[in-house]
Amino acid sequence: MLDLNGDGHALTPRNARTRNLNFDPQGRNTMSWIVSLIIGGIVGWLASMVMKTDAQMGWIANVAVGVVGSMLGYWIAGLLGFAAVGGIARFIVAFGGAVLLIFILGKLGIFRKA
């Protein structure tokens, strides 16, 4: 085994548990996915309220728009050289991306204003 933690002991699942490290042998963190989906749903719902498409969108569409819109917002922010640091800045970038995604989908005829 490799000494990955620098103390002369191999980092194994047992050592990770005793050191209170989040060790997942497949490299996943389930809780972060759940939190991302919840925050994506909130961002998508708020964006749909602002864009007045809330009556047409269910919770699955809110989550999808929030998550995909967040990715769109972070991609555009990166192109503009803006690094969202801090919770409020990250929320604003995610919200802006979700609003932009709803705007684009509206222009494509997928969402209509209520």
Side-chain angles (χ1 to χ4, degrees):
M1 290 264 177
L2 295 174
D3 177 20
L4 298 176
N5 56 0
D7 67 354
H9 294 71
L11 185 61
T12 63
R14 181 175 180 203
N15 288 346
R17 281 192 299 272
T18 59
R19 290 189 180 93
N20 199 15
L21 299 174
N22 188 8
F23 186 87
D24 186 358
Q26 295 180 350
R28 297 175 300 181
N29 189 346
T30 306
M31 187 58 77
S32 67
W33 281 103
I34 294 170
V35 170
S36 295
L37 291 175
I38 291 170
I39 292 173
I42 293 169
V43 167
W45 174 67
L46 290 173
S48 70
M49 297 286 279
V50 168
M51 296 299 288
K52 296 179 178 40
T53 59
D54 189 47
Q56 303 168 17
M57 295 174 61
W59 68 272
I60 294 175
N62 282 332
V63 171
V65 165
V67 171
V68 175
S70 296
M71 289 189 275
L72 177 65
Y74 280 101
W75 179 68
I76 291 173
L79 289 177
L80 298 174
F82 177 73
V85 178
I88 295 173
R90 290 191 311 231
F91 182 81
I92 291 171
V93 168
F95 178 74
V99 167
L100 180 62
L101 180 62
I102 292 175
F103 176 78
I104 292 169
L105 292 175
K107 291 298 179 186
L108 293 175
I110 295 172
F111 290 126
R112 301 278 183 219
K113 285 193 176 182

